[in-house]
């Protein structure tokens, strides 16, 4: 018998939840600072808001959002107005949430000036998504954090992302999708989640070269790009504490390249060191120290941009969805390529600084040139190359 959504066992705070909250908080702080400069009002929608507090008093996402907004609004004069909306389906959780939010406001009412709690809705996200989308014309951030994978129809995500200056941050429960993919009884929910029929057949026929998890993630991201027309998506892998398999991916989707880069930086610094994931105690221990792949980044860039000239920003933008690297990595890799005379960089600052508009010229390399450089692979290298890598997502 599955536990009810208000069962205290579901509200024990885990290390991986803390990582999720850290990413949420750090990104929100940056997001409001960027957008609040140009817009009088920005909005947050916490669409699966929860109870407000975990069993031992740890803060839930609504309080994390409220306090982060409060801190930023206090520090920066240009921030005028932030509107917060919370949605929670479970009646008991909703009641608790209303009380927790009220207590928070009572404790520091002046600290919350400039912040409007627009609504704390007791309903299903999918049932009111259309209404909230129609009601809001300001830049908006939607946090979608369900326990499972039902109740987040792709159609609603698509409508949100069709608005200008909206972003979503989705907890994509891949472990359950994976587990219930063969079940006829779950076929409709999976179809609704992806917004396309026959996801199972697609994994078998189109993506048989990927493992199932990678295929399920790829199809969802492809849907965001092709079905919802969003320019940038980036996933952060989360393993439950003590487990070796993926529990969920936190997927950020935005049309704003700056937003994408900021989120990648936040993800890079959260969780298991520079792994774009919280891999849990077991896998994390093994992974730390094995992550030195700027060499791969250099090779990749030299290969795909062979002979081309483009701005430093375009180099990052055109590869943002595919590569687990942050701005600093690109800079280092390009400077290393320059020192090997594989590229030239035009417009650098006096001390070697690179602005977005610097031009990067990739020296053309013919197949014959490349063949001369390739050393035969050692058996050990080949084994390493055959394993799945961070490029797989
Ligand atoms: C993972 S918890 C949210 C945790 C919360 N975001 C946090 O970080 O503190 C998911 C919540 O969504 C609620 N929920 C379940 N189905 C829902 C739906 N269709 N619409 C809105 N809320 C729902 C559950 O009752 C539960 O409180």
């Amino acid at each position: 018998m599955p536990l009810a959504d208000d069962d205290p066992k579901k509200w024990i705070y885990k290390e991986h939840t803390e990582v999720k909250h850290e990413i949420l908080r750090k990104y929100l702080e940056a997001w409001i600072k960027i957008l609040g400069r140009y817009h009088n009002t920005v909005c947050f929608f916490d669409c699966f808001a929860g109870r407000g507090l975990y069993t031992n008093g740890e803060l839930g996402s609504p309080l994390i959002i409220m306090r982060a907004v409060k801190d930023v609004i206090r520090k920066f004069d240009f921030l005028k107005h932030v509107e917060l909306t919370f949605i929670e389906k479970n009646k008991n959780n909703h009641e608790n949430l209303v009380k927790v939010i009220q207590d928070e406001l009572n404790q520091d009412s002046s600290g919350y000036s400039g912040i409007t709690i627009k609504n704390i809705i007791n309903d299903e996200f999918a049932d009111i998504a259309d209404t909230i989308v129609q009601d809001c014309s300001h830049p908006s951030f939607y946090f979608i954090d369900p326990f499972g994978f039902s109740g987040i129809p792709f159609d609603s995500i698509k409508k949100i992302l069709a608005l200008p200056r909206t972003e979503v941050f989705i907890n994509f429960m891949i472990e359950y999708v994976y587990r219930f993919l063969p079940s006829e009884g779950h076929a409709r929910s999976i179809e609704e989640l992806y917004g396309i029929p026959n996801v199972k057949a697609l994994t078998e026929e189109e993506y048989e070269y990927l493992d199932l998890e990678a295929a399920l993630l790829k199809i969802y991201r492809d849907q965001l790009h092709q079905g919802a027309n969003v320019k940038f998506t980036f996933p952060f892998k989360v393993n439950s504490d003590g487990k070796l398999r993926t529990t969920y991916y936190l997927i950020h989707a935005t049309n704003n390249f700056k937003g994408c880069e900021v989120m990648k930086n936040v993800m890079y610094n959260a969780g298991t060191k520079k792994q774009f994931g919280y891999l849990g105690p077991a896998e994390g221990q093994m992974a730390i120290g094995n992550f030195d792949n700027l060499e791969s980044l250099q090779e990749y860039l030299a290969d795909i941009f062979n002979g081309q000239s483009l701005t430093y920003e375009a180099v990052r933008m055109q590869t943002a969805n595919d590569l687990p690297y942050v701005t600093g990595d690109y800079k280092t890799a390009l400077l290393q390529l320059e020192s090997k005379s594989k590229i030239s960089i035009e417009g650098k600052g006096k001390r070697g600084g690179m602005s977005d508009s610097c031009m990067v010229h990739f020296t053309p390399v013919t197949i014959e040139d490349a063949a001369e450089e390739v050393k035969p692979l050692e058996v050990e290298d080949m084994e390493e190359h055959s394993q799945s890598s961070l490029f797989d997502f």
Side-chain angles (χ1 to χ4, degrees):
M1 208 24 204
L3 298 174
D5 283 353
D6 56 353
D7 191 300
K9 290 200 197 77
K10 277 195 160 178
W11 293 92
I12 295 168
Y13 203 66
K14 308 264 176 54
E15 198 174 313
H16 67 82
T17 310
E18 195 176 345
V19 175
K20 173 172 74 182
H21 284 160
E22 185 195 338
I23 296 176
L24 175 70
R25 181 178 57 76
K26 291 215 168 123
Y27 183 74
L28 286 189
E29 287 171 359
W31 185 84
I32 325 173
K33 272 186 253 168
I34 296 169
L35 284 161
R37 226 174 247 286
Y38 308 103
H39 301 274
N40 283 337
T41 300
V42 295
C43 304
F44 288 110
F45 293 89
D46 188 354
C47 303
F48 291 73
R51 293 177 67 75
L53 289 174
Y54 284 74
T55 318
N56 289 324
E58 299 91 346
L59 307 189
S61 55
L63 287 190
I64 286 172
I65 294 169
M66 285 173 72
R67 291 193 187 174
V69 173
K70 184 174 78 167
D71 288 348
V72 179
I73 230 170
R74 211 184 271 156
K75 278 192 217 141
F76 298 93
D77 280 353
F78 61 82
L79 284 172
K80 299 282 178 295
H81 183 217
V82 180
E83 254 178 37
L84 308 179
T85 302
F86 301 101
I87 303 162
E88 169 55 48
K89 170 184 168 187
N90 180 283
K91 194 168 173 303
N92 188 8
N93 286 350
H94 177 262
E95 271 170 26
N96 206 67
L97 178 63
V98 170
K99 183 176 174 310
V100 165
I101 291 177
Q102 198 50 60
D103 289 350
E104 176 74 8
L105 294 174
N106 290 344
Q107 271 169 35
D108 185 14
S109 54
S110 61
Y112 281 101
S113 63
I115 301 169
T116 307
I117 308 289
K118 193 172 179 208
N119 214 336
I120 309 171
I121 303 167
N122 181 205
D123 207 336
E124 288 198 28
F125 162 67
D127 287 351
I128 49 146
D130 283 3
T131 318
I132 55 175
V133 165
Q134 277 161 17
D135 275 2
C136 183
S137 56
H138 306 294
S140 306
F141 182 96
Y142 289 76
F143 180 40
I144 315 265
D145 184 26
F147 276 132
F149 62 81
S150 60
I152 39 170
F154 188 75
D155 202 38
S156 303
I157 303 295
K158 189 172 159 179
K159 282 183 186 150
I160 292 172
L161 287 169
L163 298 169
R165 296 178 300 274
T166 49
E167 303 195 352
V168 297
F169 187 44
I170 308 173
N171 177 344
F172 186 71
M173 276 286 174
I174 204 150
E175 183 184 1
Y176 294 137
V177 183
Y178 187 104
R179 191 188 309 163
F180 293 112
L181 193 65
S183 148
E184 300 243 322
H186 291 82
R188 243 193 101 210
S189 307
I190 292 177
E191 186 171 327
E192 195 181 66
L193 172 76
Y194 279 87
I196 43 170
N198 301 328
V199 174
K200 183 167 178 287
L202 206 56
T203 61
E204 290 159 355
E205 287 155 22
E206 298 272 324
Y207 298 109
E208 76 286 1
Y209 61 94
L210 290 174
D211 70 39
L212 186 55
E213 178 184 316
L216 289 170
L217 177 64
K218 178 167 173 40
I219 296 168
Y220 193 72
R221 286 182 76 201
D222 284 351
Q223 265 299 89
L224 288 169
H225 291 293
Q226 285 140 31
N229 271 325
V230 77
K231 285 197 188 118
F232 305 102
T233 66
F234 210 77
F236 181 90
K237 172 182 159 98
V238 179
N239 289 7
S240 278
D241 307 337
K243 284 191 197 165
L244 278 177
R245 60 166 189 273
T246 314
T247 306
Y248 54 86
Y249 280 91
L250 296 168
I251 303 177
H252 179 233
T254 179
N255 282 310
N256 184 304
F257 178 54
K258 180 136 184 95
C260 166
E261 282 211 314
V262 170
M263 180 56 103
K264 274 175 96 168
N265 267 292
V266 169
M267 288 175 167
Y268 186 73
N269 290 313
T272 303
K273 199 175 158 201
K274 298 179 180 176
Q275 294 284 306
F276 287 97
Y278 169 73
L279 305 179
E283 196 180 342
Q285 287 303 323
M286 290 189 292
I288 287 172
N290 297 338
F291 193 71
D292 175 18
N293 49 16
L294 282 189
E295 194 75 24
S296 323
L297 177 58
Q298 290 175 45
E299 279 170 24
Y300 185 85
L301 296 177
D303 191 27
I304 60 159
F305 295 122
N306 183 17
Q308 295 183 40
S309 291
L310 63 174
T311 63
Y312 174 42
E313 186 183 44
V315 168
R316 299 189 327 267
M317 204 186 276
Q318 289 185 26
T319 52
N321 288 318
D322 303 323
L323 299 181
Y325 296 102
V326 290
T327 324
D329 294 334
Y330 279 89
K331 186 178 167 197
T332 311
L334 289 174
L335 291 173
Q336 284 169 353
L337 281 172
E338 191 186 36
S339 71
K340 296 176 191 165
S341 304
K342 296 196 168 178
I343 61 168
S344 62
I345 306 173
E346 194 185 323
K348 274 193 306 193
K350 282 195 189 117
R351 277 186 259 152
M354 282 171 66
S355 65
D356 284 351
S357 58
C358 278
M359 286 303 293
V360 185
H361 305 282
F362 287 83
T363 314
V365 178
T366 62
I367 294 176
E368 292 76 30
D369 295 337
E372 268 181 32
E373 276 191 20
V374 175
K375 295 182 284 216
L377 281 178
E378 302 285 343
V379 174
E380 233 174 74
D381 290 341
M382 286 166 75
E383 277 168 5
E384 204 175 295
H385 280 256
S386 70
Q387 283 168 11
S388 67
S389 75
L390 284 164
F391 287 90
D392 284 347
F393 56 66

